[in-house]
């Protein structure tokens, strides 16, 4: 009997070692530039970000910005970067707290924001907008056995987690980057996290297959600005910290961009011609036009669908 128990324990330890080895393999493959760009930094009080660089440099890319919110009950992690980055996230989190990780919030479905959900214990609560859960369920990364890393709780318009200084408000303001983008507000800290609704100062990625919309984008940003008050600092998708005036500017940029695309469409220009004729860089200092073409294509498709209705 006793020998069986010991043998059983040895077997269990053996299996655990194999599993641990599988996890340890991933960091070895991570590019040095991306590891260097993935740092934990205090934003304010009990809120940190684990940075992720601009995705245009794939060698330095680990995924979107991750927020780490240390509450009385435990740690809330917002977005989990690309697959394979789980151990790095856990190490960074453990460098600032030894509290248990209780909750993951995914701002939207993309693999650079949900990829390492699987590295966290299955007991962790996972929260997202209901459309994001549906979008994630379509991904191979969440099929079969991995369905347990899909969101367990969803919401439609608004949801709050925690109270007092630990409160987080989750809002859905409408379509844009996808049809399930969560905006998070940390009211006690006067901080909002935008996900990829404000990823960078350039045209956004419009993921039409996951319900994204260029035509509705500026209105969705406007709803966020009109609804959320008492915020100073923004954690955005793929850039350093921003401010509310910068988000207001992004809304104006999107209005101008879509107006330019509508004009080009009306004038019968091709997507390529529209991409070379529209340039808002002079009007919006610090902005780029590297991502115009893909966004124009989606808006052209939306305009075509509207016309055929
Ligand atoms: Zn995204």
């Amino acid at each position: 009997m006793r020998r069986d128990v010991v043998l059983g324990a040895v077997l269990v330890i053996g299996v655990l070692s194999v599993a641990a080895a599988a996890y340890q393999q991933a960091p070895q493959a991570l590019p040095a530039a991306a590891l260097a760009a993935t740092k934990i930094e205090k934003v304010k009080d009990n809120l940190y970000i684990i940075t992720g660089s601009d995705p245009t440099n794939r060698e330095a890319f680990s995924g979107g910005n991750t927020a780490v919110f240390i509450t009385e009950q435990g740690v809330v992690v917002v977005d989990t970067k690309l697959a394979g980055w789980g151990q790095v996230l856990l190490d960074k989190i453990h460098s600032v707290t030894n509290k248990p990780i209780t909750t993951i919030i995914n701002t939207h479905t993309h693999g650079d924001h949900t990829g390492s959900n699987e590295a966290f214990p299955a007991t962790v609560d996972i929260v997202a907008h209901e459309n994001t859960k549906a979008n994630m369920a379509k991904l191979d990364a969440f099929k079969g056995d991995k369905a347990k890393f899909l969101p367990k709780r969803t919401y439609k318009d608004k949801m709050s987690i925690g109270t007092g200084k630990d409160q987080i408000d989750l809002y859905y303001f409408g379509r844009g980057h996808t049809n399930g983008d969560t905006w998070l507000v940390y009211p006690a800290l006067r901080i909002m996290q935008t996900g990829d609704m404000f990823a960078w100062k350039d045209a956004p990625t419009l993921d039409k297959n996951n319900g994204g919309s260029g035509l509705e984008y500026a209105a969705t940003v406007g709803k966020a600005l009109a609804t959320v008050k008492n915020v100073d600092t923004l954690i955005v998708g793929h850039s350093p910290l921003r401010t509310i005036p910068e988000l207001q500017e992004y809304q104006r940029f999107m209005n101008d961009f879509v107006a330019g695309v509508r004009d080009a469409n009306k004038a019968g220009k091709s997507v390529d011609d529209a991409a070379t004729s529209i340039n808002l860089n002079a009007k919006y200092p610090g902005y780029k036009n590297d991502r115009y073409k893909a966004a124009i294509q989606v808006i052209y498709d939306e305009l075509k669908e509207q016309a055929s209705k």
Side-chain angles (χ1 to χ4, degrees), residues 2 9 43 48-49 86 106 112 176 202 217 237 254 263 270 274 276:
R2 182 168 290 180
V43 182
Y48 295 78
I49 57 168
N106 292 126
D112 54 333
D202 194 344
Y217 208 104
M254 278 308 290
D263 286 347
S270 68
T276 44

Side-chain angles (χ1 to χ4, degrees), residues 108 110 112-113 177 196 238:
H108 64 287
H110 292 151
D112 54 333
H113 299 259
H177 181 59
D196 279 359
H238 294 275

Side-chain angles (χ1 to χ4, degrees), residues 27-97:
Q28 288 170 5
L30 300 175
L35 278 165
T38 306
K39 291 176 284 205
I40 190 157
E41 293 169 353
K42 183 180 267 205
V43 182
K44 196 178 179 186
D45 300 343
N46 51 335
L47 180 64
Y48 295 78
I49 57 168
I50 303 175
T51 55
S53 72
D54 189 303
T56 41
N57 180 1
R58 301 309 292 191
E59 274 299 293
F61 189 52
S62 59
N65 286 323
T66 296
V68 177
F69 190 50
I70 304 167
T71 76
E72 212 59 54
Q73 306 295 322
V75 181
V76 180
V77 178
V78 184
D79 286 351
T80 59
K81 302 199 189 294
L82 294 167
W85 284 83
Q87 193 56 52
V88 173
L89 290 177
L90 290 166
D91 291 347
K92 301 281 178 201
I93 294 164
H94 291 147
S95 74
V96 296
T97 181

Side-chain angles (χ1 to χ4, degrees), residues 198 225 231-234 236 240-248:
F198 189 15
L225 286 164
V231 162
D232 312 304
T233 304
L234 305 175
V236 302
L241 299 179
R242 303 289 188 207
T243 62
I244 288 286
E246 288 178 293
L247 183 62
Q248 290 165 337

